[in-house]
Amino acid sequence: PHTVRSFSNMTKQAVLTKKVDNGTEYAWKIVKHISPAQLKAIRDNRLAPWFYLFLLYSILLIPITWLINELYTRKKLAEESLKQSDRYFKSLYNQTPIMLHSIDQSGKLVHVSDFWLDKMGYVRDEVLGCKSSDFLTQESRDYAENKIKPEFFRTGYCSNVQYQFVKKNGKIIDTLLSAITHEDPIEKKAQSLAVITDITALKKVEEINLRLGRILDRSLNEIYIFRADNYHFLQVNEGARNNLDYTMEELRKMTPI
């Protein structure tokens, strides 16, 4: 025999033997699943063209079908893996015990954490799709829209921006906001991730300290505050400074002893 080939599935392991006689006549023999009448028709070249097409179709279809199926399976596995990762990170995002929110390029909220909702007094459906600046005081809103957001969308970053948020019940909270931009892995769109820290209590303490500081500084009595370890002056009120004729910077380098 000149050539022997085996074919799977489509020809059911049929073995085709081809013999060339003087370069013009072909004798074909199908060992399996070919009737004598079919074999005679092939020998007479009546079905030979169709038989060639069938063999060519079988040869090409099997690997192409396998390749398409393999690519489709890999694509579905990759999509499912991406969806699982997205579900995991959304769960992590929502349950993180800090105020988080994400906005799209138009400034509208697309994600908020559960802690954000608890702090602000809203449910998720009430805030998604609203502008993040809608929840700020007028002064903070103007500051955000006119200065912070244009710079943020240009650089993709902002840090420790002071905003005042308005809760659903009307109460105002002082915050520090830091944010970065990132690409959503599913929607392939740019979004932000903002971390918001409530500093309302800290601001109140600072205000109290400032008021006390002003009271002490304006007192008619001389008041000296110094470190317990090295006795260097920390604070000396205005009356004492005037009496000693030293500046506060000079007094910080001195001790009462």
Side-chain angles (χ1 to χ4, degrees):
H2 183 68
T3 304
V4 178
R5 296 181 180 177
S6 62
F7 301 88
S8 63
N9 295 334
M10 297 295 295
T11 57
K12 298 181 180 180
Q13 305 300 323
V15 178
L16 176 66
T17 303
K18 182 177 69 175
K19 183 172 66 176
V20 180
D21 183 13
N22 295 327
T24 57
E25 295 184 1
Y26 295 90
W28 297 87
K29 180 180 180 182
I30 305 300
V31 176
K32 204 172 183 182
H33 302 300
I34 299 296
S35 67
Q38 291 172 325
L39 183 59
K40 185 177 185 303
I42 292 171
R43 286 173 177 171
D44 294 340
N45 287 327
R46 286 180 296 169
L47 295 180
W50 297 105
F51 189 67
Y52 297 150
L53 289 175
F54 172 74
L55 291 179
L56 181 61
Y57 176 78
S58 300
I59 292 170
L60 294 177
L61 182 63
I62 293 173
I64 291 174
T65 302
W66 176 86
L67 180 60
I68 293 173
N69 183 66
E70 182 72 12
L71 292 174
Y72 178 78
T73 301
R74 291 185 181 182
K75 180 176 180 293
K76 295 298 289 184
L77 289 174
E79 289 177 350
E80 183 59 30
S81 177
L82 188 60
K83 287 179 180 179
Q84 288 179 357
S85 296
D86 183 60
R87 286 193 292 267
Y88 170 75
F89 284 109
K90 280 184 178 179
S91 175
L92 185 65
Y93 182 106
N94 288 335
Q95 297 176 23
T96 298
I98 195 169
M99 292 179 71
L100 301 175
H101 76 218
S102 297
I103 60 174
D104 59 18
Q105 290 179 310
S106 64
K108 294 181 179 180
L109 291 169
V110 291
H111 300 296
V112 292
S113 65
D114 294 342
F115 194 87
W116 191 101
L117 295 170
D118 292 340
K119 196 74 173 178
M120 295 291 290
Y122 290 95
V123 296
R124 191 166 271 106
D125 289 342
E126 291 178 305
V127 301
L128 294 184
C130 298
K131 282 195 169 186
S132 61
S133 56
D134 290 346
F135 302 93
L136 301 176
T137 61
Q138 186 61 51
E139 184 179 356
S140 291
R141 186 181 303 127
D142 293 340
Y143 182 52
E145 296 293 344
N146 298 327
K147 183 174 181 180
I148 299 301
K149 280 188 178 179
E151 181 68 12
F152 171 71
F153 284 122
R154 186 181 69 83
T155 63
Y157 175 82
C158 67
S159 178
N160 292 331
V161 179
Q162 292 194 37
Y163 285 143
Q164 285 188 316
F165 277 78
V166 182
K167 300 172 67 172
K168 189 176 182 178
N169 60 12
K171 290 185 177 180
I172 295 174
I173 58 174
D174 293 289
T175 67
L176 287 178
L177 182 146
S178 297
I180 59 171
T181 57
H182 69 101
E183 184 181 81
D184 186 281
I186 301 296
E187 299 181 1
K188 303 297 183 182
K189 295 180 180 179
Q191 295 181 359
S192 77
L193 174 61
V195 179
I196 305 152
T197 305
D198 183 357
I199 59 169
T200 306
L202 180 61
K203 291 279 286 186
K204 288 181 178 179
V205 171
E206 287 180 350
E207 290 174 2
I208 292 172
N209 288 338
L210 286 173
R211 286 200 298 268
L212 288 175
R214 285 194 293 267
I215 292 171
L216 292 174
D217 199 52
R218 294 170 184 174
S219 174
L220 297 176
N221 297 317
E222 294 184 14
I223 299 174
Y224 302 88
I225 302 174
F226 51 87
R227 293 174 59 100
D229 54 351
N230 58 19
Y231 301 107
H232 279 88
F233 289 112
L234 293 174
Q235 186 66 38
V236 179
N237 75 338
E238 184 179 0
R241 294 196 305 271
N242 291 337
N243 185 42
L244 296 172
D245 198 25
Y246 284 108
T247 65
M248 192 64 241
E249 287 72 20
E250 292 172 323
L251 286 168
R252 285 198 176 98
K253 301 175 182 177
M254 307 169 76
T255 68
I257 300 175

